[in-house]
Amino acid sequence: YFPLSYQAEGIYEAAMCGMSGSLIPRSVFEELQQPWFKMTHTAEGLLDKTEDVFFWHRVRELGYTIEAHLDLTANHIKWQFL
């Protein structure tokens, strides 16, 4: 993980990204075997991949590219009390 430390804008190809605000065509889910999201662990029981890393890794294996639009932002989690 390398945070962007410069002023970036526009669209660029990414290795992976967070899931908040992601737009994924339905065809990706139809082609991808389930489970779509899964946390994986090493033989020692340590965390290997989180759900989003697992998903994007498999999407790239199918030959898809991941594009990030740096002019847009989305919050990860927003708590709202009613």
Side-chain angles (χ1 to χ4, degrees):
Y1 166 74
F2 298 99
L4 297 175
S5 59
Y6 55 90
Q7 187 68 19
E9 57 187 30
I11 298 173
Y12 80 103
E13 186 174 334
M16 61 190 62
C17 62
M19 298 300 295
S20 177
S22 296
L23 300 174
I24 305 163
R26 180 180 175 160
S27 58
V28 171
F29 290 99
E30 292 171 345
E31 187 175 350
L32 195 63
Q33 297 283 327
Q34 289 194 37
W36 298 318
F37 303 99
K38 178 181 176 182
M39 292 183 76
T40 61
H41 297 82
T42 65
E44 296 79 23
L46 302 173
L47 180 63
D48 181 43
K49 292 184 181 117
T50 57
E51 294 99 332
D52 51 354
V53 172
F54 176 83
F55 175 80
W56 292 124
H57 178 79
R58 294 181 61 225
V59 166
R60 290 175 57 89
E61 284 179 340
L62 291 176
Y64 290 97
T65 58
I66 301 162
E67 295 178 346
H69 197 312
L70 300 180
D71 297 326
L72 305 173
T73 59
N75 293 327
H76 185 259
I77 296 175
K78 180 179 179 182
W79 293 97
Q80 184 173 2
F81 296 97
L82 302 175

